Amino acid sequence: MSLHPLSRGSSVMSSSEPRATAEEVNALVENYYGTLGAAGYAEPLPLHPADTALVLVDIQQHLSTRSIRASLKHAGVYDESAEPVLAAINADLQVALRNISQVLAKCREVGIRPIHVGIQSYLPDSADAGMLHKAAGMLYAPGSYDSQFLPEAAPLDGEIVLTKTCSGIHVGTHIDQVLRNLGVQNVIVTGFYTDQCVSASVRDLTDLGYRVSLVDDAMGAMSPERHQNALQSIRKLYANSESTEEILPRLDQVAAKLTKKKRGWLSGRHGR
């Protein structure tokens, strides 16, 4: 009788052989990814108005307590006991919005162009919405309350606004063409939700050759756990990661360099 193929020189681990613990596996993998991250993003993302853009993802009224409550009701999981949870979600949202507002204001000040991306259907009945959005009841017709940008990050006249009916900014919009036409190489990302639209967008940005930086406290998910898990899977691999407190001084340095350059140019022109 011939032996089963797996019994001849098989490399399958015997049940008697020692196995690594989950903690040991996690440690090795984190060390590996940490090494990759150090190679790709050893230094912070360079910031310069000529080749840097700020992308703001889905900072809209659908994040409001009113809209989340409606989504929970649509899914059949809402009752009065959810209200304290909704209050906690909103408190986290307000923290992220304050940080987004600061980053946006500073980028505008130094000339880094904001690009606003939002969820909105093209048709009044939202028949063109993506499958996931339909399942979640995210049917945001043109001009609807949910599709309006929150005041903390509302576009100004003359700023680029792109509309999508799915998660990722590249599948949903022509942002790649826009960024390339603008000469953008480096992209700062803020917005919502970290585990969904932000994560999908960041991965695509990196695969398309852009260098990306997350402002990780200027974004969020519905829960802190989902936010942190999403960050763990993308930061220092698909993107650099820094806080609002870290990026604002770097943007101030950009402003100082531009002011110094302008003064030098004016002084030289006057001297002639």
Side-chain angles (χ1 to χ4, degrees):
M1 179 184 294
S2 62
L3 296 174
H4 189 279
L6 288 180
S7 67
R8 295 196 298 270
S10 172
S11 61
V12 176
M13 182 180 289
S14 164
S15 60
S16 63
E17 294 183 42
R19 294 181 64 102
T21 65
E23 289 76 13
E24 290 171 327
V25 173
N26 288 337
L28 176 60
V29 172
E30 286 306 303
N31 185 30
Y32 168 64
Y33 281 131
T35 300
L36 293 180
Y41 286 102
E43 299 294 333
L45 194 74
L47 304 175
H48 193 281
D51 62 6
T52 305
L54 170 67
V55 173
L56 303 105
V57 181
D58 300 350
I59 308 173
Q60 300 168 277
Q61 290 290 356
H62 71 86
L63 303 167
S64 67
T65 298
R66 161 183 159 175
S67 295
I68 295 176
R69 185 185 294 113
S71 295
L72 295 178
K73 289 180 178 179
H74 177 84
V77 297
Y78 174 82
D79 61 44
E80 292 294 330
S81 66
E83 288 301 322
V85 177
L86 291 177
I89 291 173
N90 185 64
D92 288 341
L93 170 66
Q94 297 307 316
V95 172
L97 286 175
R98 283 195 293 273
N99 292 333
I100 289 168
S101 181
Q102 291 182 75
V103 173
L104 174 58
K106 189 61 67 173
C107 283
R108 283 170 171 158
E109 179 184 325
V110 304
I112 291 177
R113 193 185 304 272
I115 299 178
H116 306 263
V117 185
I119 301 169
Q120 182 174 266
S121 301
Y122 293 99
L123 296 173
D125 64 356
S126 297
D128 58 305
M131 181 177 64
L132 179 60
H133 287 184
K134 286 178 179 175
M138 298 171 65
L139 306 179
Y140 305 155
S144 62
Y145 171 82
D146 291 295
S147 67
Q148 295 173 21
F149 289 98
L150 290 169
E152 291 86 351
L156 299 179
D157 288 344
E159 293 182 346
I160 295 172
V161 179
L162 302 175
T163 295
K164 63 186 176 72
T165 57
C166 62
S167 297
I169 60 176
H170 285 93
V171 172
T173 77
H174 63 296
I175 193 170
D176 183 43
Q177 178 186 358
V178 171
L179 292 173
R180 294 188 191 283
N181 288 349
L182 292 172
V184 169
Q185 299 177 24
N186 305 310
V187 182
I188 306 165
V189 177
T190 65
F192 302 90
Y193 283 130
T194 319
D195 58 325
Q196 298 179 51
C197 299
V198 169
S199 179
S201 300
V202 165
R203 292 169 190 269
D204 284 342
L205 280 166
T206 298
D207 285 345
L208 287 166
Y210 298 98
R211 288 178 56 80
V212 185
S213 186
L214 304 171
V215 186
D216 54 25
D217 58 356
M219 57 182 58
M222 284 191 74
S223 71
E225 182 179 40
R226 294 186 73 87
H227 172 66
Q228 290 300 329
N229 287 345
L231 285 178
Q232 183 184 29
S233 69
I234 56 177
R235 61 183 168 192
K236 300 300 183 180
L237 291 172
Y238 293 91
N240 188 39
S241 176
E242 57 191 321
S243 67
T244 301
E245 187 177 7
E246 290 170 326
I247 196 171
L248 290 179
R250 297 207 303 119
L251 289 167
D252 281 333
Q253 291 173 6
V254 174
K257 288 179 182 178
L258 292 175
T259 300
K260 183 177 180 180
K261 183 177 180 180
K262 183 177 179 180
R263 286 175 177 169
W265 179 80
L266 290 174
S267 175
R269 186 180 66 172
H270 181 72
R272 290 194 299 272

